[in-house]
Amino acid sequence: MQSFDTGTVVFPVRSRSSGSGGADMDEAPLPSILVVEDEFLVRELAVEMLGDLGYAVLQASTVTEAIDLISAMPPGQLRGVLTDIQMPGELDGVDLAIHLGRTMPDVGIVVTSGRQLPGDRQLPKGARFIPKPWTYDQLTSTMEALIPSEGPAP
């Protein structure tokens, strides 16, 4: 019987400082993009695509969960949001976009759906709608165009 050395795969791990003088990751969070999508596979795809832009990508499966995540972020951390329109719960993606437009006007907002348009409700100034299915280039270039120009931290 022949044996093969499969080798070792090493994944880099960033650990939190134990207080020994190093910088704590919580002190300087990476600029972030939030993906709000109830369909797991679509959400995971969007997270992977937007991760290529160099931002930390957070995810939520409801608008309420997204608002809770946003409320816990330090000012300036959130740079962009991708939200589906049709979401479970009382609030939908357009509600989230309107809320962010009022409370965080510098955050880039991309609204998407494969089933419906935003309708009569006006998206916030600067927000964009892209229909599903979107391509990698369409999603990433739309988000890049809406995010404040300082971009991710090095």
Side-chain angles (χ1 to χ4, degrees):
M1 177 178 267
Q2 191 173 16
S3 65
F4 296 95
D5 179 7
T6 57
T8 304
V9 177
V10 178
F11 295 96
V13 177
R14 295 194 315 184
S15 61
R16 296 187 189 276
S17 169
S18 60
S20 60
D24 188 342
M25 285 177 54
D26 289 334
E27 290 178 19
L30 285 174
S32 301
I33 294 173
L34 176 60
V35 174
V36 187
E37 169 64 61
D38 61 318
E39 294 182 37
F40 175 77
L41 292 176
V42 176
R43 186 173 64 243
E44 289 297 313
L45 179 63
V47 166
E48 186 174 324
M49 289 177 171
L50 294 171
D52 287 347
L53 298 179
Y55 294 87
V57 182
L58 307 173
Q59 51 187 304
S61 59
T62 68
V63 172
T64 302
E65 184 182 353
I67 291 171
D68 290 345
L69 278 170
I70 293 166
S71 297
M73 288 182 189
Q77 179 181 351
L78 186 64
R79 302 289 174 84
V81 173
L82 169 68
T83 184
D84 189 17
I85 291 178
Q86 199 169 15
M87 301 291 294
E90 292 182 25
L91 302 173
D92 67 14
V94 176
D95 294 323
L96 177 60
I98 291 168
H99 171 74
L100 291 172
R102 289 182 185 140
T103 61
M104 304 176 88
D106 293 334
V107 171
I109 303 168
V110 178
V111 177
T112 187
S113 181
R115 297 184 184 117
Q116 67 186 71
L117 297 172
D120 294 337
R121 297 182 292 168
Q122 184 76 23
L123 291 178
K125 182 179 180 183
R128 293 206 188 137
F129 174 81
I130 56 173
K132 291 179 186 174
W134 18 256
T135 65
Y136 175 89
D137 289 336
Q138 185 181 23
L139 179 60
T140 57
S141 65
T142 301
M143 186 61 75
E144 280 183 309
L146 294 176
I147 291 179
S149 61
E150 62 267 10

